[in-house]
Amino acid sequence: MSIILLGPLATGGKKLPLYSSRVPAGFPSPAADHIEKHISLDELFDIRAPHVYLVRIDGDSMQGAGIYSGDMVIVDRSIEAVSGDIVIAALNSEPFCKRLLLRENAVMLLSENPKYPARHVMEGDELVIWGVVKYSVRDHDHA
Amino acid sequence: MTMREPVFALIDCNSFYASCERVFRPDLAKTPIVVLSNNDGCVIARSYDAKPFVKMGQPYFQIKDHLRRHGIVAFSSNYALYGDMSERVMTIIESMVPALEIYSIDEAFADLTGMPGDLSALGRHMRSTLLKRAGIPVGVGIARTKTLAKLANHTAKRLLDITGGVVDLCDPFKRDWTLRNTDVGEVWGVGRRMKAHLETMGIKTAMDLAKADPWMLRQKFSVVIEKTARELAGTSCLELGEADPPKQEICCSRMFGNRLTQIEPIKEAVATYTQRAAEKLRAQNSLCKKIRVSIRTGMFNPEEAKYANGALVELPYPTNDVRLMTKAATEAVNRLFRPGYKYSKAEVLLMDLRQPGEFTDDLFAQSQPAMADKVMGVLDEINGRWGKGVLRVASVPTAPGWAMRRELMSQSYTTKLDQLWTVSAR
């Protein structure tokens, strides 16, 4: 696996320089002349957009999708959820993180963990899609 | 080229504070909500469904049981949340209109002049977009003038079932119907006293005011009410506002969470208020030359001894250096404090504000050292990046005992990583 060193990550929206070549240790950086642009996790996640929210996940039902308890997810409220999306949804006023499945005659909320059965949304249930999960962030140091 | 007729929209959030609380509490979608003032004093906001049961301004301690009986949930005011949600709402609106004037935390005027197509459809699109992306319900009023847009908005809310929250009064027939069916007291800028004056002159509806002689109104009252009348008649007199001029005074004043009898915590409070006021001062790029500090006991409890006093401190030069200001303000407390009283409130008022480089007293007057400018710049940058109060004068405590009561406050859902909304995956 080839790895490109990006330098230390800074918080608070500070932009990081992205080098186009590797930096040999101990020499004045020849890469300094080749700074092309900046990368920013803020931009990648679009975290400053007015319709994007951070939400913390509690529980193991989405483990199969790589979302673990304690992870942060980045939720977009501007897009229309389609079948297969992982969503934040309120089912009868109770918020959940689940995978949305839309079939011709059925709406289901699926977990990504065999421990949890699928939940069929029935007539009389009230389902409100709060937003669509776009990314998840996990702390591998303290997880 | 013909002049295009101006068109304005007023977008106003419904029960904004209560709506913000509901964004992260889907379980409260149908539960009436009230929001309390600083220190959990009295009701300052009510959700639509709480309005029949609670009046604005009712003291919380008087209605606690009443709220419980009706299943109404109370919140302490969470200004970090409301501020963030307001910014989201305004940014979303800004992306949809050519120009926007943010009028308050929960309302904004937009200039729709020259926008093609059905403006009601645009209004409905704004409304549904804000509901989806921010979770905040709004009313939209559209008209030829700002005053009429405000009236349209009022009508949109009043007749929500028929209007769907959007009213376009550009059509003269609809405008006249609304003017005839609106009490003059509901018109933007007509207060209770003005309403009484106008009614004695037979001006009872908005239509009466629109038809009144503007010159008579100017002579008898003011140019403000004259403009209001002209705007109601369809002539635009008010444009989208420009940025407010810098404030002439900056005030930070709060009630303490509990009565204070010692001088030290009062000094801490005054230092804290000074810090906040100095931040506001630097945010508007001003310097101040005088600080007025005042402290007082409770004024309404007949059992308690009453005392109130203030001191004006002259600073050596116009400054925005929080260190110098804190020293001056806390020294003033030494002069004001009398033992034996139970203090309930302190106020810090920055006065005699100027812009840097503005002509001052005399040629040889001292000015703030350049070093202090640098230190304050770094201070604001650090606090801007790492959070309010990370870097502060040592006399400002982190968790003061005198802090406001906010026992019913919701989390900082959107502004603190450790207080994010937690959603179940079970």
Side-chain angles (χ1 to χ4, degrees):
Chain A
M1 180 153 79
S2 146
I3 294 166
I4 298 173
L5 184 67
L6 301 176
L9 290 177
T11 44
K14 178 101 180 149
K15 292 186 173 182
L16 305 167
L18 169 67
Y19 295 94
S20 62
S21 64
R22 295 179 201 205
V23 186
F27 290 95
S29 167
D33 296 336
H34 299 280
I35 296 176
E36 313 185 305
K37 59 168 185 169
H38 294 84
I39 57 164
S40 149
L41 291 181
D42 287 13
E43 276 170 30
L44 175 66
F45 294 149
D46 204 11
I47 206 78
R48 303 283 157 223
H51 50 265
V52 173
Y53 298 78
L54 283 173
V55 174
R56 178 99 42 206
I57 298 300
D58 174 51
D60 57 0
S61 77
M62 294 306 285
Q63 251 171 232
I67 301 173
Y68 293 81
S69 196
D71 285 0
M72 263 187 317
V73 293
I74 288 133
V75 181
D76 189 327
R77 296 196 73 179
S78 71
I79 44 184
E80 230 34 82
V82 298
S83 189
D85 280 348
I86 298 175
V87 296
I88 303 294
L91 181 63
N92 302 326
S93 300
E94 205 185 330
F96 285 105
C97 176
K98 297 284 164 185
R99 196 181 288 283
L100 178 72
L101 200 70
L102 302 169
R103 287 278 171 271
E104 200 134 314
N105 284 316
V107 176
M108 279 191 276
L109 293 175
L110 305 182
S111 292
E112 294 276 346
N113 183 336
K115 274 191 350 204
Y116 299 86
R119 171 69 157 88
H120 288 260
V121 181
M122 313 298 260
E123 217 171 324
D125 277 336
E126 195 188 7
L127 180 70
V128 179
I129 305 294
W130 197 89
V132 176
V133 173
K134 299 271 285 182
Y135 302 92
S136 65
V137 179
R138 112 173 289 259
D139 181 345
H140 289 276
D141 201 22
H142 297 100
Chain B
M1 203 177 96
T2 53
M3 277 285 284
R4 284 184 303 191
E5 272 201 271
V7 183
F8 295 93
L10 178 71
I11 304 103
D12 185 4
C13 302
N14 301 349
S15 312
F16 182 60
Y17 294 175
S19 298
C20 289
E21 296 291 349
R22 275 180 174 154
V23 170
F24 300 96
R25 292 290 304 272
D27 57 310
L28 296 180
K30 294 178 184 95
T31 305
I33 290 173
V34 296
V35 177
L36 307 172
S37 62
N38 282 341
N39 238 358
D40 294 348
C42 54
V43 173
I44 52 165
R46 305 162 297 166
S47 64
Y48 185 73
D49 42 9
K51 286 182 183 177
F53 305 104
V54 190
K55 284 202 201 80
M56 285 293 262
Q58 279 191 300
Y60 177 55
F61 72 93
Q62 277 180 13
I63 56 166
K64 243 181 194 172
D65 291 330
H66 176 75
L67 294 181
R68 199 170 311 133
R69 268 201 307 283
H70 287 92
I72 300 170
V73 177
F75 285 95
S76 304
S77 32
N78 184 347
Y79 286 107
L81 175 66
Y82 311 151
D84 181 78
M85 292 310 298
S86 170
E87 213 177 297
R88 289 172 187 266
V89 166
M90 298 306 171
T91 313
I92 292 167
I93 303 173
E94 241 161 3
S95 70
M96 307 174 81
V97 299
L100 191 74
E101 172 196 352
I102 296 169
Y103 186 66
S104 71
I105 192 166
D106 61 356
E107 55 186 329
F109 283 102
D111 185 352
L112 304 185
T113 308
M115 283 197 73
D118 178 359
L119 294 179
S120 293
L122 174 70
R124 284 193 298 275
H125 179 53
M126 281 176 158
R127 201 177 126 82
S128 64
T129 305
L130 286 166
L131 197 58
K132 179 161 167 43
R133 297 189 179 183
I136 303 287
V138 302
V140 182
I142 300 166
R144 295 276 175 221
T145 71
K146 282 172 91 174
T147 307
L148 283 168
K150 189 98 183 168
L151 188 66
N153 185 289
H154 177 75
T155 311
K157 280 186 174 174
R158 193 167 54 126
L159 307 174
L160 187 65
D161 291 341
I162 323 169
T163 62
V166 180
V167 164
D168 177 356
L169 294 184
C170 288
D171 173 45
F173 182 77
K174 284 187 191 165
R175 182 193 68 199
D176 290 348
W177 183 89
T178 309
L179 287 172
R180 278 197 306 274
N181 286 282
T182 304
D183 194 285
V184 73
E186 304 290 348
V187 172
W188 188 33
V190 176
R192 211 151 28 110
R193 286 179 57 191
M194 179 59 74
K195 173 184 148 88
H197 279 306
L198 291 172
E199 279 178 348
T200 58
M201 299 164 62
I203 298 174
K204 294 195 167 67
T205 66
M207 181 59 106
D208 296 336
L209 184 57
K211 286 192 166 158
D213 176 8
W215 292 106
M216 178 277 293
L217 290 170
R218 175 186 285 205
Q219 274 163 356
K220 213 161 161 37
F221 303 108
S222 67
V223 67
V224 180
I225 194 78
E226 179 209 341
K227 279 188 178 172
T228 302
R230 287 187 189 277
E231 284 238 317
L232 284 177
T235 307
S236 177
C237 305
L238 306 167
E239 308 210 344
L240 279 202
E242 282 122 45
D244 286 338
K247 291 198 180 66
Q248 295 305 301
E249 283 179 352
I250 290 173
C251 176
C252 184
S253 115
R254 307 257 168 81
M255 300 282 286
F256 306 134
N258 46 293
R259 298 280 199 260
L260 300 179
T261 53
Q262 306 292 316
I263 191 168
E264 281 313 318
I266 296 177
K267 279 188 175 177
E268 284 179 7
V270 165
T272 307
Y273 301 172
T274 306
Q275 170 175 290
R276 182 74 200 103
E279 276 169 11
K280 290 187 199 169
L281 182 72
R282 292 194 298 274
Q284 69 165 41
N285 252 324
S286 300
L287 304 170
C288 83
K289 186 75 188 354
K290 295 186 182 73
I291 304 179
R292 187 177 188 280
V293 179
S294 55
I295 58 175
R296 68 166 171 81
T297 60
M299 287 293 148
F300 303 108
N301 186 343
E303 310 290 305
E304 270 178 64
K306 290 171 195 56
Y307 171 72
N309 203 353
L312 190 68
V313 195
E314 185 86 27
L315 296 157
Y317 44 83
T319 183
N320 59 17
D321 185 338
V322 69
R323 299 166 298 177
L324 185 63
M325 293 163 67
T326 305
K327 191 157 171 284
T330 48
E331 273 171 14
V333 178
N334 288 334
R335 285 195 271 150
L336 296 170
F337 182 81
R338 302 275 181 281
Y341 293 102
K342 293 177 178 164
Y343 293 91
S344 70
K345 187 180 181 179
E347 180 179 291
V348 172
L349 183 66
L350 309 186
M351 301 161 73
D352 196 0
L353 306 192
R354 315 158 181 207
Q355 300 305 302
E358 216 173 77
F359 177 76
T360 45
D361 306 328
D362 63 85
L363 192 56
F364 302 103
Q366 212 185 338
S367 63
Q368 173 158 291
M371 197 56 205
D373 289 343
K374 273 195 192 148
V375 173
M376 291 304 109
V378 170
L379 175 82
D380 287 334
E381 194 179 323
I382 288 177
N383 287 340
R385 187 181 306 172
W386 299 100
K388 271 206 167 85
V390 166
L391 199 60
R392 58 185 188 275
V393 177
S395 46
V396 175
T398 32
W402 43 264
M404 283 190 297
R405 266 198 307 274
R406 285 190 287 198
E407 287 160 3
L408 308 164
M409 183 138 107
S410 48
Q411 300 150 243
S412 297
Y413 292 108
T414 53
T415 50
K416 290 213 171 76
L417 275 181
D418 59 351
Q419 293 186 25
L420 295 180
W421 187 32
T422 299
V423 169
S424 163
R426 293 189 189 280

